[in-house]
Coordinates of all heavy atoms in Angstrom, one line a residue:
M1 N 96.9 89.0 106.3 CA 96.6 90.4 106.1 C 95.1 90.6 106.3 O 94.3 89.8 105.8 CB 97.0 90.9 104.7 CG 98.4 90.7 104.4 SD 99.5 91.8 105.2 CE 99.5 93.2 104.1
T2 N 94.7 91.6 107.1 CA 93.3 91.9 107.3 C 93.0 93.4 107.1 O 93.9 94.2 107.4 CB 93.0 91.6 108.8 OG1 93.4 90.3 109.1 CG2 91.5 91.8 109.1
W3 N 91.9 93.7 106.5 CA 91.4 95.0 106.3 C 90.7 95.5 107.5 O 89.8 94.8 108.0 CB 90.5 95.1 105.1 CG 91.3 95.0 103.8 CD1 91.5 93.8 103.1 CD2 91.9 96.0 103.0 NE1 92.2 94.1 102.0 CE2 92.5 95.4 101.9 CE3 92.1 97.4 103.2 CZ2 93.2 96.2 101.0 CZ3 92.8 98.1 102.3 CH2 93.4 97.5 101.2
Y4 N 91.0 96.7 108.0 CA 90.4 97.3 109.2 C 89.8 98.7 108.8 O 90.5 99.5 108.1 CB 91.4 97.6 110.3 CG 92.0 96.3 110.9 CD1 93.1 95.8 110.3 CD2 91.4 95.7 112.0 CE1 93.7 94.6 110.9 CE2 91.9 94.6 112.5 CZ 93.1 94.0 112.0 OH 93.7 92.9 112.5
P5 N 88.5 99.0 109.2 CA 88.0 100.3 109.0 C 88.6 101.2 110.1 O 88.5 100.9 111.3 CB 86.5 100.1 109.3 CG 86.4 99.0 110.2 CD 87.6 98.1 109.9
V6 N 89.3 102.3 109.7 CA 90.0 103.1 110.7 C 89.6 104.5 110.8 O 90.0 105.2 111.7 CB 91.6 103.0 110.4 CG1 92.1 101.6 110.6 CG2 91.8 103.4 108.9
A7 N 88.9 105.0 109.8 CA 88.5 106.4 109.8 C 87.4 106.7 108.8 O 87.1 105.9 107.9 CB 89.7 107.3 109.5
D8 N 86.8 107.9 108.9 CA 86.0 108.4 107.8 C 86.7 109.6 107.2 O 87.4 110.3 107.8 CB 84.6 108.9 108.4 CG 83.8 107.7 109.0 OD1 83.8 106.7 108.3 OD2 83.2 107.9 110.1
L9 N 86.4 109.8 105.9 CA 87.0 110.9 105.2 C 86.8 112.2 106.0 O 87.6 113.1 106.1 CB 86.5 111.1 103.8 CG 87.1 110.0 102.8 CD1 86.5 110.3 101.4 CD2 88.6 110.1 102.7
A10 N 85.6 112.3 106.6 CA 85.2 113.5 107.3 C 86.2 113.8 108.5 O 86.3 114.9 109.0 CB 83.8 113.4 107.8
D11 N 86.8 112.7 109.0 CA 87.7 112.9 110.1 C 88.9 113.8 109.8 O 89.6 114.3 110.7 CB 88.3 111.6 110.6 CG 87.1 110.7 111.2 OD1 86.1 111.2 111.5 OD2 87.4 109.5 111.2
F12 N 89.2 114.0 108.5 CA 90.4 114.7 108.0 C 90.0 116.2 108.0 O 90.9 117.0 107.6 CB 90.9 114.3 106.7 CG 91.5 112.9 106.7 CD1 90.8 111.8 106.3 CD2 92.8 112.8 107.1 CE1 91.4 110.5 106.3 CE2 93.5 111.6 107.1 CZ 92.7 110.4 106.7
E13 N 88.8 116.6 108.3 CA 88.4 118.0 108.2 C 89.4 118.9 109.1 O 89.4 118.6 110.3 CB 87.0 118.3 108.7 CG 86.0 117.7 107.7 CD 85.9 118.5 106.4 OE1 86.1 119.7 106.4 OE2 85.7 117.9 105.3
G14 N 90.1 119.8 108.5 CA 91.0 120.6 109.3 C 92.3 120.0 109.8 O 93.1 120.7 110.5
R15 N 92.5 118.7 109.4 CA 93.7 118.1 109.9 C 94.1 117.0 108.9 O 93.4 116.0 108.7 CB 93.4 117.4 111.3 CG 94.6 116.7 111.9 CD 95.6 117.7 112.5 NE 96.8 117.0 113.0 CZ 98.0 117.5 112.9 NH1 98.2 118.7 112.4 NH2 99.0 116.9 113.4
P16 N 95.3 117.1 108.2 CA 95.7 116.2 107.2 C 96.3 114.9 107.7 O 96.6 114.0 106.9 CB 96.7 117.0 106.3 CG 97.3 117.9 107.3 CD 96.2 118.3 108.3
V17 N 96.5 114.8 109.0 CA 97.2 113.5 109.5 C 96.4 113.2 110.8 O 96.1 114.0 111.7 CB 98.7 113.7 109.8 CG1 99.0 114.9 110.6 CG2 99.3 112.4 110.3
L18 N 96.2 111.8 110.9 CA 95.4 111.3 112.1 C 96.2 110.1 112.7 O 96.8 109.3 112.0 CB 94.0 110.8 111.6 CG 93.1 111.7 110.9 CD1 91.9 111.0 110.3 CD2 92.7 112.9 111.8
A19 N 96.1 110.0 114.0 CA 96.6 108.8 114.7 C 95.5 107.7 114.8 O 94.4 108.1 115.1 CB 97.1 109.1 116.0
R20 N 95.8 106.5 114.4 CA 94.8 105.4 114.5 C 95.5 104.2 114.9 O 96.8 104.1 114.9 CB 94.1 105.2 113.1 CG 93.1 106.3 112.8 CD 91.9 106.3 113.7 NE 90.9 107.2 113.3 CZ 90.8 108.5 113.6 NH1 91.8 109.0 114.4 NH2 89.8 109.3 113.2
E21 N 94.8 103.1 115.2 CA 95.4 101.8 115.5 C 94.6 100.7 114.8 O 93.4 100.8 114.7 CB 95.3 101.6 117.0 CG 96.1 100.4 117.5 CD 96.1 100.3 119.0 OE1 96.4 101.3 119.7 OE2 95.7 99.2 119.5
A22 N 95.3 99.7 114.3 CA 94.6 98.6 113.7 C 95.5 97.4 113.9 O 96.7 97.4 113.7 CB 94.4 98.9 112.2
G23 N 94.8 96.3 114.2 CA 95.6 95.0 114.4 C 96.7 95.1 115.4 O 97.7 94.5 115.3
G24 N 96.5 96.0 116.4 CA 97.5 96.2 117.4 C 98.7 97.1 117.0 O 99.7 97.2 117.8
Q25 N 98.6 97.7 115.8 CA 99.7 98.5 115.4 C 99.2 100.0 115.3 O 98.1 100.3 114.9 CB 100.1 98.1 114.0 CG 100.6 96.7 113.9 CD 101.2 96.4 112.6 OE1 102.0 97.2 112.0 NE2 100.9 95.2 112.0
A26 N 100.1 100.9 115.7 CA 99.9 102.3 115.6 C 100.1 102.7 114.2 O 101.1 102.4 113.5 CB 100.8 103.1 116.5
L27 N 99.1 103.5 113.7 CA 99.2 104.0 112.3 C 99.1 105.5 112.3 O 98.6 106.1 113.2 CB 98.0 103.5 111.5 CG 97.8 102.0 111.4 CD1 96.5 101.7 110.7 CD2 98.9 101.3 110.8
A28 N 99.6 106.1 111.2 CA 99.4 107.5 110.9 C 98.6 107.5 109.5 O 99.1 106.8 108.6 CB 100.6 108.3 110.8
L29 N 97.5 108.1 109.4 CA 96.8 108.3 108.2 C 96.9 109.7 107.7 O 96.9 110.6 108.5 CB 95.3 108.0 108.4 CG 94.8 106.7 109.0 CD1 93.3 106.6 109.0 CD2 95.4 105.5 108.1
Y30 N 97.0 109.8 106.4 CA 97.3 111.2 105.8 C 96.3 111.4 104.6 O 96.0 110.4 103.9 CB 98.7 111.2 105.2 CG 99.8 110.7 106.1 CD1 100.1 109.4 106.1 CD2 100.5 111.6 106.9 CE1 101.1 108.9 106.9 CE2 101.5 111.2 107.7 CZ 101.8 109.8 107.7 OH 102.8 109.4 108.5
R31 N 95.8 112.6 104.5 CA 95.1 112.9 103.3 C 95.9 114.0 102.5 O 96.0 115.1 103.1 CB 93.7 113.4 103.6 CG 92.9 113.6 102.4 CD 91.4 113.4 102.6 NE 90.7 113.3 101.3 CZ 89.5 113.6 101.1 NH1 88.8 114.2 102.1 NH2 88.9 113.5 99.9
V32 N 96.4 113.6 101.4 CA 97.2 114.5 100.6 C 96.7 114.6 99.2 O 96.6 113.5 98.5 CB 98.7 114.0 100.6 CG1 99.6 114.8 99.7 CG2 99.2 113.9 102.0
D33 N 96.4 115.8 98.7 CA 95.9 116.0 97.4 C 94.7 115.0 97.1 O 94.6 114.4 96.0 CB 97.0 115.8 96.3 CG 98.1 116.8 96.5 OD1 97.8 117.9 97.0 OD2 99.2 116.5 96.1
G34 N 93.8 114.8 98.0 CA 92.6 114.0 97.8 C 92.8 112.5 98.0 O 91.9 111.8 98.1
A35 N 94.1 112.0 98.1 CA 94.4 110.6 98.3 C 94.6 110.4 99.8 O 95.1 111.2 100.5 CB 95.5 110.2 97.5
V36 N 94.3 109.1 100.2 CA 94.6 108.8 101.6 C 95.7 107.7 101.6 O 95.8 106.8 100.8 CB 93.3 108.2 102.3 CG1 93.6 107.8 103.7 CG2 92.2 109.2 102.2
H37 N 96.7 107.9 102.5 CA 97.8 107.0 102.7 C 97.9 106.6 104.2 O 97.5 107.3 105.1 CB 99.1 107.8 102.3 CG 99.1 108.3 100.9 ND1 99.4 107.6 99.8 CD2 98.8 109.6 100.5 CE1 99.3 108.3 98.7 NE2 98.9 109.5 99.1
A38 N 98.6 105.5 104.4 CA 98.8 105.0 105.8 C 100.3 104.6 105.9 O 100.8 103.9 105.1 CB 97.9 103.9 106.1
T39 N 100.9 105.0 107.0 CA 102.2 104.5 107.4 C 102.2 104.0 108.9 O 101.2 104.3 109.6 CB 103.3 105.6 107.3 OG1 103.1 106.6 108.4 CG2 103.3 106.3 105.9
Q40 N 103.3 103.5 109.3 CA 103.4 103.2 110.7 C 103.2 104.5 111.4 O 103.6 105.5 110.9 CB 104.7 102.5 111.0 CG 105.9 103.4 110.8 CD 107.2 102.6 111.0 OE1 107.6 101.8 110.2 NE2 107.9 102.9 112.1
G41 N 102.8 104.4 112.7 CA 102.4 105.6 113.4 C 103.6 106.3 114.1 O 103.5 107.4 114.5
R42 N 104.7 105.5 114.3 CA 105.8 106.1 115.1 C 107.0 106.2 114.2 O 107.3 105.4 113.4 CB 106.1 105.3 116.3 CG 105.0 105.3 117.3 CD 105.4 104.8 118.7 NE 104.4 105.0 119.7 CZ 104.3 106.1 120.4 NH1 105.2 107.1 120.3 NH2 103.3 106.3 121.3
C43 N 107.8 107.3 114.4 CA 109.0 107.6 113.7 C 110.0 106.5 113.9 O 110.2 106.0 115.0 CB 109.5 109.0 114.2 SG 111.0 109.5 113.3
T44 N 110.8 106.2 112.8 CA 111.8 105.2 112.9 C 113.1 105.7 113.6 O 114.0 104.9 113.9 CB 112.2 104.7 111.5 OG1 112.6 105.9 110.7 CG2 111.1 104.0 110.8
H45 N 113.1 107.0 113.9 CA 114.3 107.5 114.6 C 114.2 107.3 116.1 O 115.0 106.5 116.7 CB 114.5 109.0 114.3 CG 115.6 109.6 115.0 ND1 115.5 110.8 115.8 CD2 116.9 109.3 115.1 CE1 116.6 111.1 116.3 NE2 117.5 110.2 115.9
A46 N 113.3 107.8 116.8 CA 113.1 107.7 118.2 C 111.7 107.5 118.7 O 111.4 107.7 119.8 CB 113.8 108.8 118.9
G47 N 110.8 107.1 117.7 CA 109.5 106.7 118.1 C 108.5 107.8 118.4 O 107.4 107.5 118.9
A48 N 108.7 109.0 118.0 CA 107.7 110.0 118.1 C 106.4 109.7 117.3 O 106.5 109.1 116.3 CB 108.2 111.4 117.7
L49 N 105.3 110.2 117.8 CA 104.0 110.0 117.1 C 103.9 110.9 115.9 O 103.9 112.2 116.0 CB 102.9 110.3 118.0 CG 102.3 109.2 118.9 CD1 101.2 109.7 119.8 CD2 101.8 108.0 118.0
L50 N 103.9 110.3 114.7 CA 104.0 111.2 113.5 C 102.7 112.0 113.3 O 102.7 113.0 112.7 CB 104.2 110.2 112.3 CG 105.6 109.6 112.3 CD1 105.6 108.5 111.2 CD2 106.6 110.7 112.0
A51 N 101.6 111.5 113.9 CA 100.3 112.3 113.8 C 100.4 113.6 114.5 O 99.5 114.5 114.3 CB 99.1 111.5 114.3
E52 N 101.4 113.8 115.3 CA 101.6 115.1 116.0 C 102.5 116.0 115.2 O 102.8 117.1 115.6 CB 102.1 114.9 117.4 CG 101.1 114.2 118.3 CD 101.6 113.9 119.7 OE1 102.8 114.2 120.0 OE2 100.9 113.3 120.4
G53 N 103.0 115.5 114.0 CA 103.9 116.3 113.1 C 103.1 117.1 112.1 O 101.9 117.2 112.2
E54 N 103.8 117.7 111.2 CA 103.2 118.5 110.2 C 103.3 117.9 108.8 O 104.4 117.4 108.5 CB 103.9 119.9 110.2 CG 103.7 120.7 111.5 CD 102.2 121.0 111.8 OE1 101.5 121.3 110.8 OE2 101.8 121.0 112.9
V55 N 102.3 118.0 108.0 CA 102.3 117.6 106.6 C 102.7 118.8 105.8 O 102.1 119.9 105.9 CB 100.9 117.1 106.2 CG1 100.9 116.8 104.7 CG2 100.6 115.8 106.9
V56 N 103.8 118.6 105.0 CA 104.4 119.7 104.2 C 104.6 119.2 102.8 O 105.5 118.4 102.6 CB 105.7 120.2 104.8 CG1 106.2 121.4 104.0 CG2 105.6 120.6 106.3
E57 N 103.7 119.6 101.9 CA 103.9 119.3 100.5 C 104.2 117.8 100.2 O 105.2 117.5 99.6 CB 105.0 120.2 99.9 CG 104.6 121.6 99.9 CD 105.6 122.6 99.3 OE1 106.7 122.1 98.9 OE2 105.4 123.8 99.3
G58 N 103.4 116.9 100.8 CA 103.5 115.5 100.5 C 104.5 114.8 101.5 O 104.8 113.6 101.3
Y59 N 105.0 115.5 102.4 CA 106.0 114.9 103.4 C 105.4 115.1 104.8 O 104.7 116.0 105.1 CB 107.3 115.6 103.3 CG 108.0 115.4 102.0 CD1 107.8 116.2 100.9 CD2 108.9 114.3 101.8 CE1 108.4 116.0 99.7 CE2 109.6 114.1 100.6 CZ 109.3 115.0 99.5 OH 109.9 114.8 98.3
I60 N 105.8 114.1 105.7 CA 105.4 114.3 107.1 C 106.7 114.7 107.8 O 107.8 114.0 107.6 CB 104.8 113.0 107.7 CG1 104.5 113.2 109.2 CG2 105.6 111.8 107.5 CD1 103.4 114.2 109.5
E61 N 106.6 115.7 108.6 CA 107.8 116.2 109.4 C 107.6 115.7 110.8 O 106.6 116.1 111.5 CB 107.9 117.7 109.3 CG 109.1 118.3 110.1 CD 109.0 119.8 110.1 OE1 108.1 120.4 110.7 OE2 109.9 120.4 109.4
C62 N 108.5 114.9 111.3 CA 108.4 114.4 112.7 C 108.4 115.5 113.7 O 109.2 116.5 113.6 CB 109.5 113.4 112.9 SG 109.5 112.8 114.6
P63 N 107.6 115.4 114.7 CA 107.5 116.5 115.7 C 108.7 116.6 116.6 O 109.0 117.6 117.3 CB 106.2 116.3 116.5 CG 106.1 114.8 116.4 CD 106.6 114.4 115.0
A64 N 109.5 115.5 116.7 CA 110.5 115.4 117.7 C 111.8 116.1 117.2 O 112.3 117.0 117.9 CB 110.8 114.0 118.2
H65 N 112.3 115.6 116.1 CA 113.6 116.1 115.6 C 113.6 116.6 114.2 O 114.6 116.7 113.5 CB 114.7 115.1 115.8 CG 114.7 114.5 117.2 ND1 114.3 113.2 117.4 CD2 115.1 115.0 118.4 CE1 114.4 112.9 118.7 NE2 114.8 114.0 119.3
Y66 N 112.3 116.7 113.7 CA 112.1 117.3 112.3 C 112.6 116.5 111.2 O 112.8 117.0 110.1 CB 112.6 118.7 112.3 CG 112.1 119.5 113.5 CD1 113.0 119.9 114.5 CD2 110.8 119.9 113.6 CE1 112.6 120.6 115.6 CE2 110.3 120.6 114.7 CZ 111.2 120.9 115.7 OH 110.8 121.6 116.8
G67 N 112.7 115.1 111.4 CA 113.0 114.2 110.3 C 111.8 114.3 109.3 O 110.7 114.4 109.7
L68 N 112.1 114.1 108.0 CA 111.1 114.1 107.0 C 111.0 112.7 106.3 O 112.0 112.1 106.0 CB 111.5 115.1 105.9 CG 111.2 116.6 106.0 CD1 111.7 117.3 104.7 CD2 109.7 116.8 106.2
F69 N 109.7 112.3 106.0 CA 109.4 111.1 105.3 C 108.5 111.5 104.1 O 107.6 112.3 104.3 CB 108.7 110.1 106.2 CG 109.6 109.6 107.3 CD1 109.4 110.3 108.6 CD2 110.4 108.6 107.2 CE1 110.1 109.9 109.7 CE2 111.1 108.1 108.3 CZ 111.0 108.8 109.6
E70 N 108.7 110.9 103.0 CA 107.8 111.0 101.9 C 106.6 110.2 102.2 O 106.7 109.0 102.4 CB 108.4 110.5 100.6 CG 107.6 110.8 99.3 CD 108.3 110.3 98.1 OE1 108.8 109.1 98.1 OE2 108.4 111.0 97.1
I71 N 105.4 110.8 102.2 CA 104.2 110.1 102.7 C 103.8 108.9 101.8 O 103.6 107.8 102.4 CB 103.0 111.1 102.9 CG1 103.3 112.0 104.0 CG2 101.7 110.3 103.1 CD1 102.4 113.2 104.2
P72 N 103.7 109.0 100.5 CA 103.2 107.8 99.8 C 104.1 106.6 99.8 O 103.7 105.5 99.8 CB 103.1 108.3 98.3 CG 103.0 109.8 98.5 CD 103.8 110.2 99.6
T73 N 105.4 106.8 100.0 CA 106.4 105.7 99.9 C 107.0 105.4 101.3 O 107.6 104.3 101.5 CB 107.6 106.0 99.0 OG1 108.3 107.2 99.6 CG2 107.1 106.3 97.6
G74 N 106.8 106.3 102.3 CA 107.5 106.1 103.6 C 109.0 106.4 103.6 O 109.6 106.2 104.6
R75 N 109.5 106.8 102.5 CA 110.9 106.9 102.3 C 111.5 108.0 103.2 O 111.1 109.2 103.1 CB 111.3 107.2 100.9 CG 112.7 106.9 100.5 CD 112.9 106.7 99.0 NE 112.2 105.5 98.6 CZ 111.6 105.4 97.4 NH1 111.6 106.3 96.6 NH2 111.0 104.2 97.1
A76 N 112.5 107.7 104.0 CA 113.2 108.6 104.9 C 114.1 109.5 104.0 O 114.7 109.1 103.0 CB 114.1 107.9 105.8
Q77 N 114.1 110.8 104.4 CA 114.7 111.8 103.5 C 116.1 112.3 104.0 O 116.7 113.3 103.6 CB 113.8 113.1 103.4 CG 112.5 112.7 102.8 CD 112.6 112.2 101.3 OE1 113.1 112.9 100.5 NE2 112.2 111.0 101.1
G78 N 116.7 111.5 104.9 CA 118.0 111.8 105.4 C 118.0 112.3 106.9 O 116.9 112.6 107.4
G79 N 119.2 112.5 107.5 CA 119.4 112.8 108.9 C 118.4 113.7 109.4 O 118.0 114.7 108.7
P80 N 117.8 113.4 110.6 CA 118.2 112.3 111.5 C 117.5 111.0 111.2 O 117.6 110.1 111.9 CB 117.7 112.8 112.9 CG 116.5 113.6 112.6 CD 116.8 114.3 111.2
V81 N 116.7 111.0 110.1 CA 115.9 109.7 109.9 C 116.6 109.0 108.7 O 116.9 109.5 107.6 CB 114.4 110.0 109.6 CG1 113.7 110.5 110.8 CG2 114.2 110.9 108.4
C82 N 116.9 107.7 108.9 CA 117.6 106.9 107.9 C 116.8 105.6 107.6 O 117.2 104.9 106.6 CB 119.0 106.6 108.2 SG 119.2 105.8 109.8
R83 N 115.9 105.2 108.4 CA 115.1 104.1 108.1 C 113.7 104.5 107.6 O 113.0 105.3 108.2 CB 115.0 103.2 109.3 CG 116.2 102.4 109.6 CD 116.1 101.4 110.8 NE 115.9 102.2 112.0 CZ 114.9 101.9 112.9 NH1 114.1 100.9 112.8 NH2 114.8 102.6 114.0
D84 N 113.2 103.9 106.5 CA 111.9 104.2 105.9 C 110.8 103.7 106.9 O 111.0 102.8 107.7 CB 111.7 103.5 104.6 CG 112.7 103.9 103.6 OD1 113.4 104.9 103.7 OD2 112.9 103.2 102.5
L85 N 109.6 104.4 106.7 CA 108.4 103.9 107.4 C 107.8 102.8 106.6 O 107.8 102.8 105.4 CB 107.4 105.1 107.4 CG 107.8 106.4 108.1 CD1 106.8 107.4 107.9 CD2 108.0 106.1 109.6
A86 N 107.2 101.9 107.4 CA 106.3 100.9 106.7 C 105.1 101.6 106.2 O 104.6 102.5 106.8 CB 105.9 99.8 107.7
V87 N 104.6 101.2 105.0 CA 103.4 101.8 104.4 C 102.4 100.6 104.3 O 102.8 99.5 104.1 CB 103.7 102.5 103.1 CG1 104.6 103.7 103.3 CG2 104.2 101.5 102.1
Y88 N 101.1 101.0 104.3 CA 100.0 100.0 104.3 C 99.1 100.3 103.2 O 98.8 101.5 102.9 CB 99.3 100.0 105.6 CG 100.2 99.7 106.8 CD1 100.8 100.7 107.5 CD2 100.5 98.3 107.1 CE1 101.7 100.4 108.6 CE2 101.4 98.0 108.1 CZ 101.9 99.0 108.9 OH 102.8 98.8 109.9
P89 N 98.5 99.3 102.5 CA 97.5 99.5 101.5 C 96.2 100.2 102.1 O 95.8 99.9 103.3 CB 97.1 98.1 101.0 CG 98.3 97.3 101.4 CD 98.8 97.9 102.7
V90 N 95.6 101.1 101.4 CA 94.5 101.9 101.8 C 93.4 101.7 100.7 O 93.7 101.8 99.5 CB 94.8 103.4 102.0 CG1 93.5 104.2 102.3 CG2 95.8 103.5 103.1
R91 N 92.2 101.6 101.1 CA 91.1 101.8 100.2 C 90.0 102.6 100.9 O 89.8 102.6 102.1 CB 90.5 100.5 99.6 CG 89.8 99.6 100.6 CD 89.2 98.4 99.9 NE 88.2 97.8 100.7 CZ 88.2 96.6 101.3 NH1 89.3 95.8 101.1 NH2 87.3 96.1 102.0
V92 N 89.2 103.3 100.1 CA 88.1 104.2 100.6 C 86.8 103.7 99.9 O 86.8 103.6 98.7 CB 88.4 105.7 100.3 CG1 87.2 106.5 100.8 CG2 89.7 106.1 100.9
E93 N 85.9 103.4 100.7 CA 84.6 103.0 100.2 C 83.5 103.8 100.9 O 83.4 103.7 102.2 CB 84.4 101.5 100.5 CG 85.3 100.6 99.7 CD 85.1 99.1 100.1 OE1 84.3 98.8 101.0 OE2 85.8 98.3 99.4
E94 N 82.7 104.5 100.2 CA 81.6 105.3 100.7 C 82.0 106.1 101.9 O 81.3 106.2 102.9 CB 80.4 104.3 101.1 CG 79.9 103.6 99.9 CD 78.8 102.6 100.2 OE1 78.4 102.5 101.4 OE2 78.3 101.9 99.3
G95 N 83.1 106.8 101.7 CA 83.6 107.7 102.7 C 84.3 107.1 103.9 O 84.8 107.8 104.8
R96 N 84.4 105.7 103.9 CA 85.1 105.1 105.0 C 86.5 104.6 104.6 O 86.6 104.1 103.5 CB 84.3 103.9 105.5 CG 85.0 103.1 106.6 CD 84.0 102.6 107.6 NE 83.8 103.7 108.6 CZ 83.6 103.5 109.9 NH1 83.5 102.3 110.3 NH2 83.5 104.5 110.7
V97 N 87.5 104.8 105.4 CA 88.9 104.5 105.1 C 89.2 103.1 105.7 O 89.0 102.9 106.9 CB 89.8 105.6 105.6 CG1 91.3 105.2 105.3 CG2 89.5 106.9 105.0
W98 N 89.7 102.2 104.9 CA 90.1 100.9 105.3 C 91.6 100.8 105.1 O 92.2 101.2 104.1 CB 89.4 99.8 104.5 CG 88.0 99.8 104.7 CD1 87.0 100.6 104.1 CD2 87.2 98.8 105.4 NE1 85.8 100.2 104.5 CE2 85.8 99.1 105.3 CE3 87.6 97.6 106.1 CZ2 84.8 98.3 105.9 CZ3 86.6 96.9 106.7 CH2 85.2 97.2 106.6
V99 N 92.3 100.1 106.0 CA 93.8 99.9 105.9 C 94.0 98.4 106.1 O 93.4 97.7 107.0 CB 94.5 100.7 107.0 CG1 96.0 100.3 106.9 CG2 94.3 102.2 106.8
E100 N 94.9 97.8 105.2 CA 95.3 96.4 105.3 C 96.6 96.3 106.2 O 97.6 96.8 105.8 CB 95.5 95.8 104.0 CG 95.6 94.3 104.0 CD 95.8 93.7 102.6 OE1 96.4 94.3 101.8 OE2 95.3 92.6 102.4
V101 N 96.4 95.5 107.2 CA 97.6 95.4 108.2 C 97.8 93.9 108.4 O 96.8 93.1 108.4 CB 97.2 96.1 109.5 CG1 98.3 95.8 110.6 CG2 97.0 97.6 109.3
V102 N 99.1 93.5 108.6 CA 99.4 92.1 108.8 C 98.8 91.7 110.2 O 99.0 92.4 111.1 CB 100.9 91.9 108.8 CG1 101.3 90.5 109.2 CG2 101.5 92.2 107.5
Ligands
FES1 FE1 111.4 111.5 114.6 FE2 113.7 111.9 115.9 S1 111.9 110.8 116.6 S2 113.2 112.6 113.9

């Protein structure tokens, strides 16, 4: 496991979800209620980029077929999504966001 610097908190200005890459993996970063979370970047249904979706009350809505995932846990909320998202540890130090990826 390796920690990667992937964003600054300022990058979330006006946008609660960001697309990033670390260790060769696509990630989606979220800022929800002041906390930062990281999940895999592509939807488990058909691979849409989650960073192009909408954050709604702690959930990410996939832009392709509107599947919903709970952001902190990655848990799929039912059809059309049935497989959970991978989630990654996050830490914030002096405004910089780090994610731990295998
Ligand atoms: Fe995300 Fe279909 S690709 S719900």
Side-chain angles (χ1 to χ4, degrees):
M1 303 287 272
T2 304
W3 287 93
Y4 295 90
V6 291
D8 293 319
L9 286 180
D11 297 340
F12 290 98
E13 290 291 325
R15 181 76 185 144
V17 55
L18 304 172
R20 289 293 187 269
E21 190 176 307
Q25 298 187 47
L27 305 175
L29 301 183
Y30 312 87
R31 188 151 194 210
V32 177
D33 296 332
V36 180
H37 304 277
T39 69
Q40 68 185 71
R42 291 195 175 270
C43 182
T44 56
H45 177 233
L49 271 180
L50 293 170
E52 295 178 358
E54 295 297 324
V55 172
V56 182
E57 296 181 358
Y59 296 85
I60 179 69
E61 182 183 67
C62 177
H65 311 107
Y66 310 109
L68 274 182
F69 299 92
E70 185 179 50
I71 290 171
T73 63
R75 197 160 294 142
Q77 300 298 299
V81 292
C82 54
R83 283 184 295 134
D84 297 346
L85 299 172
V87 296
Y88 300 96
V90 172
R91 71 174 196 246
V92 179
E93 291 177 355
E94 298 177 2
R96 177 139 276 214
V97 178
W98 295 74
V99 176
E100 188 178 39
V101 174
V102 175

